[in-house]
């Protein structure tokens, strides 16, 4: 993958209607990757103290939002801590997106990027 870095804000580099801010709090499910869109992978951890911070930030900037389809393809796994989180690290989101782009399979992508420590597994894994 080719990457360019800049000190400029994504808001100044890309048209607003091309930006999709990925946040686990979005009501919109990412169903496919659009090559004409720019996906913002966050950079903020808003799992506890700053709940919904990324969603609010995107809304304040009038950006489209989406979340990975974790609820649609995965199930909550029983665990001793009763812990379930859809908040992923940037590298995990990147892994999910890359795998989906290559395979066009959300189950394969989520298997690659969502660790079992998040409390979600694919249905066939939960049955084992």
């Amino acid at each position: 993958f080719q990457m360019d870095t800049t000190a400029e804000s994504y808001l100044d580099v890309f048209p607003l209607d091309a930006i999709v801010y990925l946040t686990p709090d979005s009501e919109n499910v990412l169903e496919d990757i659009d090559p004409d869109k720019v996906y913002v992978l966050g950079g903020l951890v808003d799992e506890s103290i700053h709940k919904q911070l990324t969603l609010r930030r995107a809304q304040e900037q009038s950006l489209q939002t989406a979340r990975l389809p974790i609820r649609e393809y995965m199930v909550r796994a029983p665990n001793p801590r009763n812990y379930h989180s859809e908040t992923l690290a940037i590298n995990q989101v990147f892994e999910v997106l890359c795998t989906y782009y290559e395979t066009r399979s959300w189950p394969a992508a989520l298997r690659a990027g969502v660790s079992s420590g998040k409390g979600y597994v694919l249905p066939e894994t939960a049955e084992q």
Side-chain angles (χ1 to χ4, degrees):
F1 294 95
Q2 179 180 346
M3 291 186 153
D4 293 322
T5 59
T6 180
E8 295 177 83
S9 168
Y10 54 87
L11 298 170
D12 298 326
V13 176
F14 303 104
L16 289 182
D17 62 348
I19 301 172
V20 179
Y21 205 118
L22 297 180
T23 171
D25 299 310
S26 179
E27 293 181 10
N28 307 314
V29 178
L30 183 64
E31 295 179 11
D32 199 5
I33 296 173
D34 182 344
D36 295 325
K37 298 288 184 183
V38 175
Y39 296 91
V40 176
L41 305 189
L44 300 172
V45 176
D46 59 353
E47 189 169 0
S48 56
I49 298 173
H50 303 290
K51 190 71 177 149
Q52 297 196 345
L53 179 62
T54 53
L55 179 62
R56 284 195 309 271
R57 176 174 285 178
Q59 290 170 334
E60 289 167 2
Q61 297 170 342
S62 300
L63 300 175
Q64 300 171 68
T65 63
R67 63 174 173 79
L68 296 176
I70 293 172
R71 289 179 233 156
E72 287 69 22
Y73 290 92
M74 303 185 91
V75 295
R76 289 179 174 222
N79 61 66
R81 297 182 300 149
N82 195 29
Y83 176 76
H84 302 90
S85 176
E86 295 178 46
T87 302
L88 305 179
I90 292 173
N91 62 308
Q92 292 172 310
V93 175
F94 188 73
E95 182 69 27
V96 168
L97 294 175
C98 289
T99 303
Y100 176 78
Y101 191 77
E102 291 171 5
T103 66
R104 291 299 195 229
S105 166
W106 282 117
L110 295 168
R111 182 180 302 110
V114 180
S115 71
S116 60
K118 290 293 180 177
Y120 284 90
V121 295
L122 293 170
E124 66 268 13
T125 307
E127 296 170 4
Q128 296 174 355

